[in-house]
Amino acid sequence: MFRMIRSNLLDLTGIAAISAVLLLLSIISSISGTFQLPSSILNLNTIFLSILIESLPFVLIGVLIAGLIQIFVTEEHIRLWLPKNKYLAVTMSCIIGALFPACECGIVPIVRRLVEKGVPVAAGIGFMLTGPLINPIVIASTYMAFGNDIKMAASRMGMGFLIALIAAFSVSLLFKQNQLKPSLLSASHHHSSPLKSSFLDKLWSMLLHSIDEFFDMGKYLIAGAFLAAFVQTYMSAGSLLNIGGGIASSTLVMMGLAFVLSLCSEADAFIGASFSSIFPATPILGFLIFGPMMDLKNTIMMASVFSFKFVISVLAIVICTVFTILMLTYSIL
Amino acid sequence: MKFNSQQATRALILISFSIFLFNLHYTGEINKFINPKYDHLSQSAAIIFLLLFLIQITRVWSSAPVHTYSDCKKSQCCSLGHTHEHGDTPFTTKKLISCAMIVFPLLTGFLLPAKVLDASIANKKGAMITLSGSGNPDSENGEDSRLHNKHINKGTATGEQNVEEPGDDLTTGSENEMRSEEYDKLMMALENSEVIKLNDRIYSSFFEEISTDVNKYKGRKIELTGFVYKEEGFNGNQLVISRFLITHCVADAGIIGFLSEFRDASRLKKDSWINAEGIIGVTTYKGALLPYIKVTNWQEIAEPKKPYLYPITIRHS
């Protein structure tokens, strides 16, 4: 009886929600003609929405996979495969990160658990750097965003992996302790193993997790898309070229932009590609490689887990490595 | 049983996204945002949103205490309170802001009409900089950027024209293999036809071809459609008959078009659409060689139903 009411209630809730939206839609469409906004606002809105519409499928696939991994793969699995030798472990963690299709939104908590359980902090960082950058969805979206051209996708992955390796090795040379905030070590509550629950339960919580993940990063995506659209509508190519006249400064400009925008790596290829009429390949690569590794949102999340000094050091190491490698490859190519 | 308003809000947002996307596809407005080639991707997004909505409504009515532990247990990150929000904890200003941010695109999407990109965007994109390919003062950079642009704008179709120096046999050879017979046929038509008619399908390929080897096409008749774009520094009789080329979504729109000259050019307002016939000539703009059209005949037309161009994708055969 109770069950019946409950299931009917769900149906009703669903129908109520859909009709509420449709009602709102019809009211809105009847009054929308009365708005007279400057055309630049409409341009801004159109570009903003187009970035969003284009990236939404990738974000959704991303959150679903993230949910899948969070629920079905435990940190124990990854830890079992990790070798005892420190350098081997760092290399290994970069490779695991490359195979692990995480999003930078979800990776910091995972890294924290890994480090908490005794994984060397450098290996954790290696995993964090390659995880969001190198994965099938990012490869696919980069490939498509750059007009089905494999060159950008390949350089993004190849150079990204090299940079992550160098950065992780530098971290392992500089830091020995786990660098976690002391308060977190004692105060963290350990969850019981979810192994007991059935497959369907797990699937269900995976989907619920995906919804949470979507709402978590949706706002960062929307903010990023809006900012990018704003830049496109109001900043002229000439002034952008003025900031980044030379190859070095334009690379730094794009890296800075990637940091501030804090885009999800699954969707940033489209935004990176939109700058390709303004900048040559190297600054765009700076945007595409640095963005998934470190960004504003990610750094804030890291600072809540690791000591401040450590976060700043990692940030500096990654910036230097990305910049140096890009400049080296630019002069060679 | 307890009604959870935050979860209900989330359910509403999810179904709104789904309806928003379905509505765009239903009305065809979607192609004011993205290349039709990727329609199916955004349709699947609408379906996923619907699916997530159906799952989310089960959380609207909770019989258990408000914070469901089972959710938290499996998400592995609730010890970092702010990094992961389940929508069960008390309502705060911070949440209101993040909720407003997610609702924002829905509101503007439903309220504001989709706009076809206009000349002001072309200006911001540095139309003449991209058209003349002299955007970068550094010559090395300039070449890189030019080469890159073509990759972007024309997708796989660009390969052959990308080669700046005809002597570069290696690249030409490998790229030739990718071209389909149909594409060859189209390009043959460009070589042989009496009047070059730029229809939407081949516009970008022909444009690229003509720009690459301006002198080859000098003196040929051409017929094309586009909107009027003018830039500071143009003479009164100059304008660009331009189009936007959309690789993916309008955010990556690149401008292509021909600098044109005719007596009445000053009369035409920017953003008005014209259909023009003329003869291809060669001119220099700020040191760069580019084609221009000496217009012999033109008429003003209404904005076409499909204002954007899309690059040709070539099947690998």
Side-chain angles (χ1 to χ4, degrees), chain A residues 112 116 180-189 303-306:
Chain A
R112 172 179 165 254
E116 220 175 57
L180 287 173
K181 276 188 174 173
S183 58
L184 277 172
L185 276 175
S186 51
S188 65
H189 62 276
S304 69
V305 177
F306 294 108

Side-chain angles (χ1 to χ4, degrees), chain A residues 13-14 28 30 55 67 91-92 115 117 133 140 164 168 173 183 192 194 208 213-214 243 246-247 264 292 325 330:
Chain A
T13 315
I28 280 171
S30 62
S55 57
T91 316
M92 186 80 178
V115 175
K117 288 177 182 175
L133 177 66
L173 289 176
S183 58
S192 56
L208 290 180
E213 184 105 11
F214 172 76
I243 311 169
I247 192 74
C264 174
I325 296 289
Y330 180 75

Side-chain angles (χ1 to χ4, degrees), chain A residues 109 112-113 189 191 209, chain B residues 67-69 71-86 89:
Chain A
R112 172 179 165 254
R113 304 292 308 286
H189 62 276
H191 294 309
H209 188 274
Chain B
H67 188 86
T68 47
Y69 182 65
D71 283 353
C72 182
K73 184 168 75 180
K74 284 148 195 163
S75 62
Q76 304 174 342
C77 45
C78 78
S79 45
L80 281 171
H82 71 280
T83 61
H84 206 88
E85 183 53 61
H86 299 298
T89 41

Side-chain angles (χ1 to χ4, degrees), chain A residues 46-59:
Chain A
T46 305
I47 295 175
F48 163 57
L49 290 176
S50 86
I51 295 175
L52 203 62
I53 291 168
E54 192 60 65
S55 57
L56 275 177
F58 289 96
V59 173

Side-chain angles (χ1 to χ4, degrees), chain A residues 224 227 255-263 290 294-297:
Chain A
L227 215 62
M255 281 168 67
L257 197 65
F259 187 80
V260 180
L261 288 178
S262 299
L263 294 173
F290 185 64
M294 297 299 282
D295 58 37
L296 197 57
K297 167 189 61 164

Side-chain angles (χ1 to χ4, degrees), chain A residues 25 144 216 232 237 276 330, chain B residues 38 83 108 110 124 141 149 251:
Chain A
L25 188 68
M144 282 169 75
D216 254 2
Q232 279 210 19
S276 55
Y330 180 75
Chain B
Y38 302 103
T83 61
T108 65
F110 281 127
K124 290 287 186 282
N141 279 358
N149 279 345

Side-chain angles (χ1 to χ4, degrees), chain B residues 199-216:
Chain B
N199 63 37
D200 286 1
R201 197 156 157 252
I202 46 93
Y203 199 121
S204 60
S205 306
F206 280 17
F207 169 76
E208 212 55 58
E209 178 69 27
I210 292 167
S211 308
T212 312
D213 198 352
V214 193
N215 287 314
K216 189 173 159 190

